[in-house]
Amino acid sequence: MGRYSRLRRIRQLDPQKDFEQIYRWIIHYEFPEDYLHGTSIAFLRDYGVPRISRLLDRTQEFERAGQKRYDDTVLLTYEMVREGMDSEHAHAAVRHLNRIHGRYRIANEDFLYVLATTVVGPKRWIDRFGWRRLCEQETESLALVGRRMGEMMGLSDVPDTYAAFEHFHDAYEREMFAYDPANRRVAAATLRVLASWYPAPLRRPASRIALALLDEPLLEALGFRPQPRWLRTAAHRAFRTRAALIRLLPARPERWPRTPKPRTYPFGWTLDDLGPHWAHSRQPGPLHEETPPEDAPAPVASAAPETPRQEPR
């Protein structure tokens, strides 16, 4: 298979009908590592919003089990698309995700922003550091997968195009980015997770390189100073060199998809492994598009988020 053979096939597809297939090609074949890099940057962007980072800081999940928290977030997205977004497995994954989030009172716009970062973040990373830019069909497929996830989660006003996701993403950041001590604590915990993937002598440089890739508004909101110009330039050139080398490699064959390799689950995982342990004691409710059973108890609205219970180490 030629390096651009899959791209030619993608350009012949209609993202409105084939967005799931195109999305799988993006995350498993064309840009598996770059998609994860873009998702990692998306995590950091979430922490620039004080009311998001305060909730995460209060749960202490990143402090106590940061690698698991990172892996679970990536894997839940994978589980939603693994067998198709209309499959029972995808529905079970979303019900599990809603069960976790249902413990807290989270504004619809905050959910939408986090969702938007998983659409806009990978797109911008791939266009900047990938071996090629995303084509129009790939870009819209990212947005359509994001829209479907939002609909399944029961969110309102979910954007339906990439341009709409990007507009919401940027407008939200202009309004909501602000420094808070919780921002820095959660971001520092996440950077420690990312740095732990490298040998001890490389962990500090790895953290500095990650910061060198962040824009100044985000750095300011997280409470970090910009890295020196020489380091920002060197990091950018290193990733562009990597892209040039990948461009010379043959396309990943269909029989060899890149699948998640989470450090938390070296021997595999099930859906029940994902998320905090306390989530399994909560009864999952029906999806927004499902009809609840007749004998299901009516949901009780709470006036304030439940105080997170400390998990055993």
Side-chain angles (χ1 to χ4, degrees), residues 48 59 61 97 105 143 168 216 224-225 279 294:
T59 68
E61 286 183 21
L97 183 62
R105 186 174 60 189
F168 176 86
E216 290 198 23
F224 294 113
R225 290 177 296 180
E294 292 183 1

Side-chain angles (χ1 to χ4, degrees), residues 107-150:
N108 185 76
E109 65 176 351
D110 293 348
F111 273 124
L112 288 180
Y113 172 66
V114 173
L115 182 63
T117 62
T118 67
V119 174
V120 177
K123 156 71 173 170
R124 289 181 172 174
W125 176 277
I126 291 170
D127 284 354
R128 187 181 182 192
F129 296 123
W131 64 273
R132 62 170 175 82
R133 295 174 65 88
L134 291 180
C135 68
E136 179 181 351
Q137 289 83 354
E138 290 167 322
T139 298
E140 288 308 317
S141 293
L142 287 179
L144 292 169
V145 167
R147 183 187 70 177
R148 183 71 182 119
M149 287 181 180

